[in-house]
Amino acid sequence: MIRKMSTAQPLKKLVSCVILDLDGTLLNTDGIVSDVLRVYLGKYGKQWDGREIKKIVGKTPFEAASAVVEDYELSCTTSELLSEITPMFSNQWCNIKALPGANRLIKHLSGHRVPMALASNSPRENIETKISYHQGWKESFSVIIGGDEVRLGKPSPEIFLEVAKRLNVDPSSCLVIEDSLLGVTAGKAAGMEVVAVPSIPKQAHLYTSADEVINSLLDLRPEKWGLPPFQDWIKDTLPLEPWHIGGPVVKGFGRGSKVLGIPTANLSTEGYGSLLSEHPSGVYFGWAGLSKRGVFKMVMSIGWNPYFNNTEKTIEPWLLHNFDEDFYGEELRLIIVGYIRPEANFSSLQSLIEKIHHDRKVAEEALDLPLFSKYKDDPYLKSST
């Protein structure tokens, strides 16, 4: 029976199985890559520039190592580089975290008996080791294929065609979820439907060949592809495992009150680089504790704010209370309990302002629900007051 789709989520195409990439799609590998290469290149007097990550995303280990040797003009060979950094990576695999939405997606598809496969340019042994640290992952996949099990890795379609063969399904009935351009190219060349989840910021415009581009796995709507929908959204919000962040309130860009008429209490991102990398850009909500004023409802954005084209990822909380004065320097602690929507660009300042006020309404109503209101008494907030 075909599930009746809502008008808001029109059916794109019926698929019967899902093929997932691993690094950058399910696992937050980029931070580990940067940490290892920063240490390794330091031995050669070179400085790792995180922006170089886009040159190696999605490539086989040998191709990625070759690019590093060439770009940094290293005196070692590609094979020598690989032999030195592979143990460094292996020591870090136990620390690689699942990306937001990864566990939720795997559990959801597995629970509905949707066949899943894992297809990565990484060697099979590496894949097995990485997923062994994530409970329930290995047994959820009907097929796992590494880049060393095919003649050509992505962007060749070979790995995806081999998955379809082993699953005994037609390639056109497969949905591929990928973070890299190489993976998207491979999926489309295999005749499959492809959802892109770009792992590198501000690169979504490059994924024109994908059937859909989403900000993170939190934004995936399986029903668009004829798959069972998630049932965990509550009043236009997605409950999250709560997380905390805090620090003194700092001066922002000066546009909150002046340009938008929305006074945000900005936090410094210094020291929070790794935490920010774990959470997709978007609009979230929760509770805010101010050291001298109490606890308040809060809605906030994380990201680059496309309308203003930020150069750095920022945290901009809006405390939903009318304050008589500024409170720069005061300790602000936040507990984030839910997600509202992905970051988006807007055609006009007015449409941006209207959306922000809609976000406020959604957050205020959600925070009255017992599921979220209980966190108002979280000790983390109280310890700042």
Side-chain angles (χ1 to χ4, degrees):
M1 182 178 74
I2 297 178
R3 185 179 302 275
K4 184 179 179 182
M5 310 306 295
S6 68
T7 55
Q9 300 294 340
L11 180 65
K12 285 180 173 285
K13 183 176 179 179
L14 282 170
V15 299
S16 61
C17 64
V18 176
I19 306 173
L20 292 149
D21 175 51
L22 182 62
D23 299 309
T25 300
L26 295 176
L27 293 180
N28 186 16
T29 319
D30 290 353
I32 299 294
V33 170
S34 292
D35 289 345
V36 168
L37 288 177
R38 188 176 293 111
V39 171
Y40 182 81
L41 291 172
K43 292 166 44 179
Y44 287 86
K46 309 278 186 177
Q47 188 170 355
W48 166 252
D49 183 345
R51 287 174 293 185
E52 295 283 332
I53 196 83
K54 62 186 177 186
K55 293 187 178 181
I56 62 176
V57 165
K59 293 186 175 179
T60 64
F62 190 87
E63 290 169 339
S66 179
V68 170
V69 170
E70 181 179 347
D71 287 355
Y72 286 89
E73 299 177 342
L74 301 182
S75 57
C76 63
T77 66
T78 298
S79 296
E80 288 170 342
L81 170 62
L82 270 179
S83 66
E84 287 193 57
I85 66 171
T86 296
M88 297 170 69
F89 279 122
S90 300
N91 291 336
Q92 294 296 321
W93 284 339
C94 60
N95 298 320
I96 301 177
K97 294 183 179 180
L99 282 161
N103 280 308
R104 170 179 176 249
L105 176 61
I106 291 172
K107 184 177 181 180
H108 174 73
L109 295 177
S110 178
H112 286 279
R113 301 187 182 281
V114 176
M116 279 186 291
L118 201 53
S120 168
N121 266 351
S122 293
R124 173 63 179 268
E125 183 181 356
N126 294 4
I127 296 170
E128 298 271 5
T129 304
K130 289 174 189 174
I131 66 175
S132 69
Y133 296 105
H134 298 271
Q135 188 175 0
W137 281 26
K138 184 174 181 179
E139 51 268 34
S140 296
F141 294 105
S142 303
V143 173
I144 298 175
I145 301 182
D148 57 339
E149 297 179 274
V150 291
R151 289 183 305 105
L152 296 171
K154 308 166 192 175
S156 163
E158 184 181 350
I159 194 166
F160 289 129
L161 292 173
E162 181 61 26
V163 167
K165 180 181 176 182
R166 294 191 193 182
L167 287 175
N168 195 28
V169 297
D170 190 273
S172 64
S173 68
C174 298
L175 176 65
V176 170
I177 303 178
E178 268 279 359
D179 74 299
S180 73
L181 283 170
L182 295 177
V184 170
T185 301
K188 292 310 298 177
M192 300 177 176
E193 300 298 302
V194 180
V195 172
V197 196
S199 57
I200 301 176
K202 299 186 174 185
Q203 299 293 306
H205 64 285
L206 300 177
Y207 290 73
T208 52
S209 64
D211 297 286
E212 184 181 21
V213 182
I214 58 177
N215 187 59
S216 78
L217 292 177
L218 298 177
D219 305 308
L220 184 69
R221 301 288 182 161
E223 63 271 23
K224 285 186 176 183
W225 310 96
L227 298 171
F230 288 112
Q231 302 289 348
D232 49 359
W233 284 83
I234 301 171
K235 287 197 170 184
D236 296 323
T237 68
L238 177 64
L240 299 176
E241 188 69 31
W243 56 279
H244 308 87
I245 191 169
V249 177
V250 299
K251 285 185 178 291
F253 299 97
R255 63 190 179 215
S257 298
K258 296 175 185 175
V259 180
L260 299 172
I262 296 164
T264 54
N266 296 66
L267 280 176
S268 170
T269 57
E270 188 174 350
Y272 287 114
S274 60
L275 180 63
L276 281 182
S277 73
E278 293 175 16
H279 299 284
S281 57
V283 177
Y284 298 79
F285 66 96
W287 296 94
L290 270 173
S291 53
K292 300 177 182 177
R293 302 168 194 270
V295 177
F296 307 93
K297 291 179 177 179
M298 173 276 299
V299 63
M300 74 177 204
S301 68
I302 294 179
W304 288 266
N305 203 323
Y307 185 82
F308 294 103
N309 197 25
N310 291 1
T311 56
E312 294 183 1
K313 198 172 186 179
T314 60
I315 313 168
E316 300 183 37
W318 181 17
L319 276 59
L320 306 182
H321 179 81
N322 293 322
F323 294 94
D324 296 329
E325 59 186 351
D326 292 331
F327 40 83
Y328 295 121
E330 286 190 35
E331 181 74 13
L332 174 64
R333 295 198 173 187
L334 308 175
I335 177 169
I336 295 85
V337 300
Y339 175 76
I340 296 177
R341 63 173 176 86
E343 189 173 50
N345 204 349
F346 294 87
S347 57
S348 69
L349 184 63
Q350 185 57 38
S351 60
L352 169 60
I353 293 171
E354 289 173 0
K355 191 64 174 177
I356 293 174
H357 280 283
H358 180 262
D359 294 334
R360 171 183 181 154
K361 183 174 183 290
V362 170
E364 283 189 316
E365 291 180 0
L367 287 166
D368 285 334
L369 299 172
L371 175 67
F372 300 122
S373 63
K374 63 184 179 182
Y375 293 107
K376 183 178 182 180
D377 299 316
D378 189 281
Y380 178 78
L381 301 175
K382 303 294 183 181
S383 62
S384 68
T385 55

